[in-house]
Amino acid sequence: MTRKLAAEFFGTFWLVFGGCGAAVLAAAFPELGIGFAGVALAFGLTVLTMAYAVGGISGGHFNPAVSLGLAVAGRFGWKDLVPYWIAQVAGAIAAAAVLFAIASGKAGFEPGGFASNGFGALSPGGYSMQSALLIEVVLTAGFLIVIIGSTSKLVPAGFAPAAIGLALTLIHLISIPVTNTSVNPARSTGVALFAETAALGQLWLFWLAPLAGGALGALIWRVLLAGPDSEG
């Protein structure tokens, strides 16, 4: 179990440091040209690379909503859920702390939102709480369907990380303007601790919606899509 938790810690660290780092360090400079698309790709690449690196040890969740969804789908033991969540949140906080230490080394640095998630005044596009809740539930559900489906016996082995990484890229392309994209409570928690906004006060939504969406996606797969030849 120690190796699994270490893998989840480092995988989540990489996701937050790479994805949020692209937003904080690179997207802050328009002349670099990465924009929303570059940040979306960075998040997808973090999952893809770390899924190949340590996915064979822990399953490559890196996300409390994914762990919950896989438990609902019968792919993950309920007894391991809380330890995985602790490792994931710890990895996210560690990554945010390192990112903050690097970013604050620039003269005049102001954390601002620090790549945190939000709705209303904290939404990049000014979207409401209801919009944020709905998009986070729907996209996390879709993410779980991709994860469970791409790791089923019906799919050739070895391609799941690519599908999952591309799915996360697509998710960010859709929802960065709405919530700055969470679909991952650990990712939301780590950076919210360092933001100079009301991000912590809105953090409840970025736990509730992804967890609900993860469970919903798993139920959709289990009830409507799974068959005896698709269990993986």
Side-chain angles (χ1 to χ4, degrees):
M1 176 58 81
T2 299
R3 290 179 68 242
K4 291 181 179 181
L5 297 180
E8 285 298 303
F9 176 94
F10 286 113
T12 312
F13 179 101
W14 190 243
L15 184 152
V16 173
F17 186 76
C20 295
V24 171
L25 301 177
F29 297 91
E31 63 271 18
L32 296 180
I34 74 164
F36 282 179
V39 173
L41 182 60
F43 272 101
L45 288 173
T46 62
V47 169
L48 188 155
T49 52
M50 200 54 73
Y52 279 120
V54 302
I57 299 172
S58 67
H61 301 185
F62 319 141
N63 182 339
V66 170
S67 297
L68 176 62
L70 292 175
V72 171
R75 297 277 195 91
F76 180 63
W78 286 98
K79 65 181 178 59
D80 296 329
L81 187 61
V82 172
Y84 264 54
W85 281 9
I86 293 172
Q88 291 156 358
V89 171
I93 293 172
V98 173
L99 179 58
F100 184 86
I102 294 169
S104 60
K106 183 179 184 297
F109 168 71
E110 295 181 4
F114 200 64
S116 59
N117 304 115
F119 54 84
L122 301 186
S123 161
Y127 286 85
S128 68
M129 180 182 69
Q130 291 80 4
S131 294
L133 182 66
L134 183 57
I135 200 167
E136 289 287 333
V137 169
V138 169
L139 289 178
T140 313
F143 193 36
L144 262 294
I145 291 171
V146 170
I147 291 170
I148 298 170
S150 65
T151 55
S152 73
K153 292 180 179 178
L154 300 177
V155 179
F159 291 95
I164 294 166
L166 288 172
L168 191 60
T169 299
L170 173 61
I171 285 168
H172 279 77
L173 288 173
I174 296 167
S175 61
I176 284 177
V178 183
T179 62
N180 211 25
T181 309
S182 173
V183 301
N184 184 336
R187 168 262 190 274
S188 297
T189 301
V191 289
L193 294 174
F194 296 88
E196 289 185 343
T197 64
L200 274 176
Q202 296 188 357
L203 187 58
W204 64 269
L205 186 144
F206 300 103
W207 273 87
L208 175 64
L211 291 178
L216 175 62
L219 287 172
I220 290 172
W221 175 266
R222 193 164 190 172
V223 174
L224 299 177
L225 301 174
D229 54 351
S230 66
E231 294 301 317

